[in-house]
Structures are given as C-alpha cells and as structure tokens.
Amino acid sequence: EAQVTQNPRYLITVTGKKLTVTCSQNMNHEYMSWYRQDPGLGLRQIYYSMNVEVTDKGDVPEGYKVSRKEKRNFPLILESPSPNQTSLYFCASSRPGNEQFFGPGTRLTVL
Amino acid sequence: EDQVTQSPEALRLQEGESSSLNCSYTVSGLRGLFWYRQDPGKGPEFLFTLYSAGEEKEKERLKATLTKKESFLHITAPKPEDSATYLCAVQANDYKLSFGAGTTVTVRA
C-alpha cells in the first residue's frame, strides 16, 4: 500500500529536550516536505526537499532542522523545543510539481 | 512573499444548497494550484490540480476553476458527507508550497 508514515503519532515533551519525528514514504517520491498546522493559520511549510541531500526552507523554518540522507526518509529534528512549537505536524511526499500525499500527522505538545 | 487567502472561513449549507469557495493568491510564478479536503484529525486528501488560467476540473459534486488571481471550488447539491475543511495551496516555480487557512464547510441534512 502506498503510504507516508510518521512516528510518533503523539508526543508530550518538555522545553529543551531534543526530539526527532520520523517520516518515511514508499512511493519513490523525490519531493518531501514538513508542515505545521495551527488553528486559524492553516498549513505552513517548514522545510522541503527536492531530492537526497537537497533541502530548502519553507515559510517557518526557525527552530527546526531536517536531513535527507535517503530518498524514502525525511526526519524533522527539534534540537531545543519550546512551547510555541506545540502543534500538529504533517509530513508529505510527491513527484515534483504533483499533488502531495500526506502522512497521518504527529501531535506534539511542548511543556 | 507568496500569499493565499481563502474565503469564507466557514460555510454552513443545507443539503442540496450549492455554493462556492474562493481562493485568491499572489505567487512569484505559479507552478500549480491545488485543492485538498481535510477531515478532523486527518491529513489532507488531494482533490484537484490546476496549472493555467481558464482550466477547470470536476469530480462528483465538486468543480474547481482557475483565473490569474483566484480559484473557485464550486459545490453542487452538497450532501452531509461533503462536510470538511477545504484547503487551497499554490506551488511556486521554486517548488515552495503555500497553503490558505481553509474553509470549513458544514452541510446539514
């Protein structure tokens, strides 16, 4: 089954404790992306990647890091999480210029 | 900076009452405009892609249209199962994606 998987689905952590949210796709897509979704603000792109070792900033990259060492994986790293990073996070993948396939989401709470 | 504005924020319809959602955008070179549907607690699901002004796409009770400055999603004779949040997104030439805040549609039986 073609899918995008994210782990964990739910995470509660404390300020400053480094965390990683994993994202994996099995569709051999070149393009992968991370978004955060907050009430009233919609989806905002954090980072995107056109292919292995190629990443670019989206609209809200501050406080986040990404890496693309393999085509199928695109982890999101929060090195020192803060409460304003409490949000619902989505990973997505696609062929460049085509529709995005979204993962199920990760709900992160930073205390 | 690319911008996407959707209106209205919320729309309450009676079953069978047709309506339209608006997505106005400014982008530095449009690669494509996308419409998605999102149900509560789930990731967005793809509906349509539009690439150039004048283009139209249809799927069941939904029809999307595109001009140089805006896109419309028309819902004809909606049913309760059409209740969802509808998201519009534009992709620029650098492949950066910008989403609108969405329109939440509620269809009452």
Side-chain angles (χ1 to χ4, degrees):
Chain A
E1 180 192 353
Q3 60 182 351
V4 177
T5 56
Q6 295 179 227
N7 283 292
R9 293 289 314 280
Y10 302 91
L11 180 60
I12 300 174
T13 189
V14 295
T15 298
K17 186 176 180 182
K18 182 179 178 179
L19 67 91
T20 298
V21 184
T22 64
C23 173
S24 183
Q25 52 96 4
N26 63 1
M27 294 168 277
N28 201 35
H29 286 160
E30 293 84 0
Y31 187 100
M32 296 187 75
S33 183
W34 276 103
Y35 302 87
R36 62 177 289 173
Q37 187 170 37
D38 302 290
L41 295 177
L43 280 161
R44 291 180 291 169
Q45 193 173 43
I46 303 171
Y47 272 96
Y48 63 103
S49 169
M50 291 294 295
N51 215 323
V52 175
E53 303 292 0
V54 180
T55 62
D56 283 292
K57 296 178 180 179
D59 287 325
V60 288
E62 296 78 19
Y64 304 94
K65 284 178 59 176
V66 293
S67 68
R68 187 93 181 271
K69 293 185 170 60
E70 303 167 286
K71 195 172 186 179
R72 64 182 295 128
N73 296 323
F74 191 44
L76 180 69
I77 303 157
L78 284 73
E79 295 211 325
S80 184
S82 62
N84 64 13
Q85 292 178 299
T86 292
S87 188
L88 179 59
Y89 291 86
F90 287 101
C91 179
S93 74
S94 72
R95 299 264 180 237
N98 287 7
E99 71 273 16
Q100 302 264 283
F101 290 82
F102 285 83
T106 294
R107 190 168 293 279
L108 172 65
T109 302
V110 184
L111 302 173
Chain B
E1 184 178 317
D2 303 333
Q3 282 201 320
V4 182
T5 303
Q6 291 188 246
S7 62
E9 289 183 17
L11 191 59
R12 292 177 66 86
L13 300 172
Q14 200 67 34
E15 185 172 3
E17 178 188 1
S18 302
S19 189
S20 295
L21 284 57
N22 178 263
C23 170
S24 62
Y25 64 91
T26 56
V27 63
S28 52
L30 179 69
R31 182 170 290 279
L33 184 141
F34 302 86
W35 283 98
Y36 292 87
R37 170 195 170 121
Q38 186 175 25
D39 294 306
K42 295 191 174 182
E45 290 183 2
F46 170 73
L47 292 173
F48 303 109
T49 309
L50 300 165
Y51 293 106
S52 57
E55 192 174 357
E56 299 183 353
K57 295 269 180 80
E58 275 188 81
K59 180 180 178 180
E60 296 181 359
R61 295 177 294 281
L62 301 177
K63 179 180 177 180
T65 62
L66 180 65
T67 72
K68 287 187 177 178
K69 293 185 178 180
E70 57 190 352
S71 177
F72 292 92
L73 184 66
H74 307 279
I75 309 178
T76 302
K79 298 182 177 181
E81 53 261 44
D82 295 322
S83 297
T85 296
Y86 292 86
L87 302 171
C88 171
V90 295
Q91 189 163 47
N93 281 335
D94 62 358
Y95 291 97
K96 189 173 165 184
L97 264 164
S98 299
F99 279 79
T103 295
T104 299
V105 175
T106 304
V107 182
R108 296 166 290 174

